[in-house]
Amino acid sequence: METITVAVCTLNQWALDFRGNCDRIKRSIVEAKAQGAAYRLGPELEVTGYGCNDHFYENDTYLHSWQVLAELLSSQECAGILCDVGMPVMHKGVRYNCRVFFENGKILLIRPKLFLANDGNYREMRWFTAWTKTRVFEAFILPQVITDVAGQEEVPFGDCVVASKDTVIGSETCEELWTSQSPHISMALDGVEIFSNGSGSHHEFGKLHVRVDLIRSATEKCGGVYLYANQHGCDGERVYYDGCSLIVVNGQVLAQGRQFFLEEVEVLTATIDLNRVRAFRSIASRGVQASNAPAYHRINTGTRLSTLNLACRETPALPKVHYHSPSEEIRLGPACWLWDYLRRSKTNGYFLPLSGGIDSCSTALIVYSMCNIVCETISSGDEQALKDLRGVVGDTSYNPTDPKELCNRILHTSYMGTSNSSDETKTRASRLAADIGAYHVNLNMDSVVLAVLGVFQTVTGRTPQFKMHGGSVAENLALQNIQARSRMVLSYLFAQLLLWCRSRPGALLVLGSANVDETLRGYFTKYDCSSADVNPIGGISKTDLKAFVGYSETVFGLPILKEFLHATPTAELEPITADYVQSDEADMGMTYDDLSVYGTLRRIMKCGPFSMFTNLVGKWSSSISPTQIAEKVKKFFRFYAINRHKTTILPPSYHMSPYSPDDNRFDLRPILYNAGWGWQFNKIDEAAKAMEDARSQPLL
């Protein structure tokens, strides 16, 4: 029995970290060889890191990529295996996102990407051009740095496949799997047996299910071996590449990598009998189509990838694919992202204003989860994680003893109270900090607020009042915003000096804790505590955060979390009386559950005001009237339009929700709207009236 062993490699690459990226590629090749692999596949643009963005315009990026490739070609560690790496290549003055196949110091093929990702967080068409010449290749003149080590002047560049003496490998890169007419379809009909996909796919709720389904269906219908290698980690952007590399044969998953982890290199291998593919394809109708399929040019390696397997052992299919629950995704994904951000920014911990509410509680729990993951990774023997942690805490001999002790070094929290704050929120914040080990300080900032008000009173001679004391709406908002913005100023002061107070060097990053629904509605103060360095929950809904807190009560053994779940969400910026306690949902004029619905319809279903109204009539008309639905939709879009400008100043947030209103890249909209939506709202009112009139007519 002859079998082939293949390897998919998940790497935690970093944009423009050519030295680190090269070392991780080398390490993955060495590990693949040690596991007996004959072919090694790595992630998309692994040489540069996927998130270089406009650095892809720079000639230096291409120069250094070739220098890295030259080092790989000349290294004996990379010999004796067919390698497939991702890097940008400029051909005839045009920039392409490419795969480079090489073996034993020689480049075999440069294969450019055919279909570029250009939706959501992806902007590949900004930097690269798609190769549109199907099954066409040209001569590529190699740079001198490659000629010097490989002895080659030119290599094929284009839409080709690689053929060994015993099988054929075809490449499709990331987005090409997601397109309606993926290249693997035509390649399969031309006899390609192994499909390789080096990817740069980021985490999002539910995205893994789609990814796995696409890969399984690709080989369930066409037959074949599908290799999927994804990047993982934060490589310098708002997204987290979530690994989970896969090896699939004829629709069955043989190997699945981890989705959330800290180790920088993970190599998965599987041993496969290619006769399984050939037997799967023995269908008469397929044979007719294959016999007429256009041919790809084959680049011959002159070597064999399979070996004689006297033990007749193959890698069996997994019993099932592992998926994390949404709460597990919140516990793991943002935590791993925060760790990469912390270690790579060379800062020394996080500072979090802890309000006693669900949002800041969730953020604290994510940092505590990060501490748990770091401790687990180090206890398993990962030297890089230990080295990074020692750099973060500023102690070259430090060894973490438990997550709570580590959290005391990493996470610094503060309850910033005023005369409008309650003892309940103060107590909850303090108890949570104590239970997870955070270094916590309580402070009353009334003196700061009064000092700011004093300046205003001195200049204007006027004293604003809260609405319950007879003040106007403008006065009421201004008095709330003074408190909120003062917290931001104090947060950065404490972030810079708390470590100094503890006789430790360095500074802290300030964490934000505004959720995606409040951002969508605009329910936050511009330049308040939402103006942090990073925000791990900015892409997560209030509903999902509440579920996460409930889940964390059991996972982390924190009974205090039950009190957070039962508390009314409140900003505590207005005076509390016997008859009045400020409520977030009352202030917003809509519920968090409704906001999740609005966000999904606006972004995912591409609904404007009128389409949202008609959609919700179909969903809600059994409980409320069309006129009431119309008022809900108009209220949402009115506040959305008024507050959209606020999204321009939000800190980088972990992307997780498919309806995120992130203004930086994911959700590009105007910042100045006609908030009256005259035409749109009139059409809604007309439709609502027509529906009400139709309902009032007697049935015939």
Side-chain angles (χ1 to χ4, degrees), residues 25-42:
I25 293 170
K26 275 188 183 180
R27 181 177 156 193
S28 72
I29 294 172
V30 170
E31 290 189 19
K33 288 170 62 178
Q35 295 182 41
Y39 170 61
R40 174 265 182 204
L41 172 70

Side-chain angles (χ1 to χ4, degrees), residues 270-345:
T271 299
I272 303 157
D273 179 5
L274 292 176
N275 284 321
R276 292 174 57 186
V277 175
R278 294 155 193 164
F280 189 91
R281 290 179 173 178
S282 59
I283 301 171
S285 58
R286 181 202 173 274
V288 172
Q289 292 181 339
S291 65
N292 292 303
Y296 286 83
H297 180 74
R298 282 159 161 73
I299 308 297
N300 293 307
T301 66
T303 58
R304 297 181 62 84
L305 298 181
S306 61
T307 58
L308 184 62
N309 187 339
L310 295 176
C312 296
R313 289 177 181 164
E314 293 182 78
T315 303
L318 296 177
K320 63 178 181 178
V321 177
H322 176 70
Y323 298 104
H324 291 288
S325 69
S327 291
E328 287 176 329
E329 291 184 69
I330 296 172
R331 176 173 68 89
L332 299 171
C336 292
W337 183 75
L338 282 180
W339 172 245
D340 276 347
Y341 205 101
L342 182 63
R343 70 189 181 103
R344 285 175 166 168
S345 65

Side-chain angles (χ1 to χ4, degrees), residues 152-186:
Q152 296 172 281
E153 297 286 344
E154 61 180 51
V155 294
F157 182 102
D159 187 17
C160 305
V161 297
V162 174
S164 65
K165 291 182 177 181
D166 44 7
T167 191
V168 183
I169 301 171
S171 176
E172 62 180 19
T173 306
C174 200
E175 179 71 10
E176 295 171 13
L177 170 67
W178 299 71
T179 57
S180 301
Q181 193 171 351
S182 298
H184 69 257
I185 299 171
S186 55

Side-chain angles (χ1 to χ4, degrees), residues 410-430:
I410 297 290
L411 180 60
H412 299 68
T413 58
S414 174
Y415 181 82
M416 300 179 178
T418 68
S419 57
N420 300 320
S421 304
S422 66
D423 290 336
E424 289 82 3
T425 54
K426 179 180 179 180
T427 301
R428 281 201 302 271
S430 298

Side-chain angles (χ1 to χ4, degrees), residues 453-473:
L453 275 175
V455 173
F456 181 83
Q457 292 165 345
T458 300
V459 172
T460 66
R462 302 289 298 274
T463 301
Q465 301 291 331
F466 284 104
K467 64 181 179 183
M468 64 175 54
H469 299 150
S472 65
V473 172

Side-chain angles (χ1 to χ4, degrees), residues 417-522:
T418 68
S419 57
N420 300 320
S421 304
S422 66
D423 290 336
E424 289 82 3
T425 54
K426 179 180 179 180
T427 301
R428 281 201 302 271
S430 298
R431 287 179 58 194
L432 175 64
D435 287 352
I436 65 176
Y439 183 88
H440 185 71
V441 293
N442 286 311
L443 65 90
N444 183 293
M445 61 179 206
D446 279 337
S447 58
V448 176
V449 174
L450 291 173
V452 174
L453 275 175
V455 173
F456 181 83
Q457 292 165 345
T458 300
V459 172
T460 66
R462 302 289 298 274
T463 301
Q465 301 291 331
F466 284 104
K467 64 181 179 183
M468 64 175 54
H469 299 150
S472 65
V473 172
E475 293 171 76
N476 198 62
L477 282 174
L479 289 173
Q480 293 182 68
N481 289 341
I482 290 171
Q483 301 166 67
R485 292 187 174 118
S486 297
R487 288 190 175 111
M488 183 269 288
V489 175
L490 288 171
S491 292
Y492 276 94
L493 174 64
F494 276 78
Q496 288 181 307
L497 293 178
L498 268 185
L499 287 178
W500 170 71
C501 293
R502 301 181 71 185
S503 300
R504 287 176 49 193
L508 307 172
L509 292 168
V510 178
L511 290 176
S513 56
N515 64 63
V516 70
D517 296 324
E518 291 170 349
T519 301
L520 182 65
R521 161 62 172 73

